[in-house]
Amino acid sequence: MIFEKFLRQIKDHQLLCKGDKVLLALSGGADSTALLHLFLEIKSQYHLKLAVAHLNHQFRGNESRADAAFVESIANYYALPFITDDLSPPIKSRFGNLENWARQKRYQFLQKVADSILAQKIALGHTQNDQAETVLLRLLRGSGTLGLAGMPVSRGNRFVRPLLSMKREEIRMYLNSHELSWREDSSNENLQFTRNRVRLKLIPSLEKFFNPKVVEVLARTAENLRGDSETLECLIGKFWRQYVH
């Protein structure tokens, strides 16, 4: 089931071309571990060249180093090129939101690595749950239509999210059924982080008291809003070319 969803997402959104070099962003967690193994399943079908990248934010000391070692061991086991770097965490008062800072640094790192190895695509392990959390976070911050459209399946024709239609529970079932291990990030339980409060408190409450399928509903809403936004952008472009130029 997971493999079929993965393949359908790639085909429906034309995320890959045959012969692509793909840089896989691996944290060592369940989602990115599943991402790696799913790409290994289609490697020969799409004639892909795969490489693995891991950025150690060093937020959790020995645990972070163990994550990096775990990812490196997987890459070595499958004889995949492995690129890593260590990041010195900033002083929080200087850089504000640590989550956003880390996210920006991670994307910069991935872009730099992809450029250096001439990778056409950078694959990220975001799931349907990540999408739902993103929509709620942006709603609470007062985002407009484009913000509520959440994360796109592909961005800039380079970053791709082939797991975006899958729930975390499905990912873990896939890993368990294939007897694959992964790393758990203890910081995911830290309620100081806003996203964790949304994941651990808000969404379970919405599921319990309002709609048990709230994750799917939020993800579907994001998809619909993105479609509306892209249609509007296309119409504006046509109007501009027809009446302004």
Side-chain angles (χ1 to χ4, degrees), residues 133-150 225:
E133 292 160 15
T134 298
V135 172
L136 279 174
L137 282 166
R138 293 180 180 178
L139 178 64
L140 293 170
R141 292 167 183 160
S143 291
T145 303
L146 186 57
L148 296 178
L225 287 172

Side-chain angles (χ1 to χ4, degrees), residues 142-158:
S143 291
T145 303
L146 186 57
L148 296 178
M151 297 178 286
V153 177
S154 65
R155 179 164 70 85
N157 201 34
R158 195 175 201 187

Side-chain angles (χ1 to χ4, degrees), residues 54-65 85-89 101:
H54 175 83
L55 182 62
N56 181 2
H57 295 103
Q58 303 195 86
F59 290 154
R60 293 171 288 113
N62 289 335
E63 189 180 333
S64 292
R65 286 188 285 275
D85 198 6
D86 294 333
L87 192 62
S88 297
W101 176 85

Side-chain angles (χ1 to χ4, degrees), residues 52-101:
V52 171
H54 175 83
L55 182 62
N56 181 2
H57 295 103
Q58 303 195 86
F59 290 154
R60 293 171 288 113
N62 289 335
E63 189 180 333
S64 292
R65 286 188 285 275
D67 290 346
F70 174 77
V71 174
E72 184 174 13
S73 69
I74 295 177
N76 290 341
Y77 181 82
Y78 292 106
L80 300 176
F82 174 68
I83 306 96
T84 187
D85 198 6
D86 294 333
L87 192 62
S88 297
I91 300 170
K92 191 172 181 181
S93 59
R94 279 185 58 201
F95 288 86
N97 189 315
L98 201 58
E99 292 172 285
N100 287 337
W101 176 85

Side-chain angles (χ1 to χ4, degrees), residues 223-242:
E223 189 176 350
N224 291 338
L225 287 172
R226 183 159 297 279
D228 292 346
S229 178
E230 288 171 355
T231 300
L232 183 59
E233 188 176 331
C234 181
L235 290 172
I236 291 172
K238 287 181 179 178
F239 178 85
W240 182 267
R241 289 190 296 273
Q242 185 173 352

Side-chain angles (χ1 to χ4, degrees), residues 36-189:
L36 167 65
H37 287 280
L38 286 165
F39 264 97
L40 287 169
E41 288 195 53
I42 64 166
K43 184 183 176 189
S44 59
Q45 179 182 345
Y46 276 87
H47 308 292
L48 301 175
K49 303 176 193 71
L50 303 178
V52 171
H54 175 83
L55 182 62
N56 181 2
H57 295 103
Q58 303 195 86
F59 290 154
R60 293 171 288 113
N62 289 335
E63 189 180 333
S64 292
R65 286 188 285 275
D67 290 346
F70 174 77
V71 174
E72 184 174 13
S73 69
I74 295 177
N76 290 341
Y77 181 82
Y78 292 106
L80 300 176
F82 174 68
I83 306 96
T84 187
D85 198 6
D86 294 333
L87 192 62
S88 297
I91 300 170
K92 191 172 181 181
S93 59
R94 279 185 58 201
F95 288 86
N97 189 315
L98 201 58
E99 292 172 285
N100 287 337
W101 176 85
R103 189 177 303 111
Q104 290 169 10
K105 291 295 182 182
R106 187 162 55 249
Y107 279 107
Q108 289 170 10
F109 165 72
L110 293 171
Q111 193 88 277
K112 181 180 178 181
V113 172
D115 288 344
S116 70
I117 65 171
L118 304 178
Q120 287 84 17
K121 299 292 166 58
I122 302 169
L124 307 171
H126 295 120
T127 66
Q128 192 176 83
N129 296 73
D130 294 310
Q131 183 74 294
E133 292 160 15
T134 298
V135 172
L136 279 174
L137 282 166
R138 293 180 180 178
L139 178 64
L140 293 170
R141 292 167 183 160
S143 291
T145 303
L146 186 57
L148 296 178
M151 297 178 286
V153 177
S154 65
R155 179 164 70 85
N157 201 34
R158 195 175 201 187
F159 286 95
V160 297
R161 298 182 172 94
L163 306 186
L164 209 54
S165 64
M166 305 173 204
K167 294 186 73 174
R168 285 199 188 105
E169 293 86 344
E170 294 178 280
I171 295 292
R172 281 156 178 73
M173 284 176 62
Y174 167 81
L175 291 171
N176 287 326
S177 68
H178 288 78
E179 299 182 342
L180 299 169
S181 60
W182 66 89
R183 297 277 300 169
E184 291 289 356
D185 184 343
S186 63
S187 68
N188 286 336
E189 303 298 317

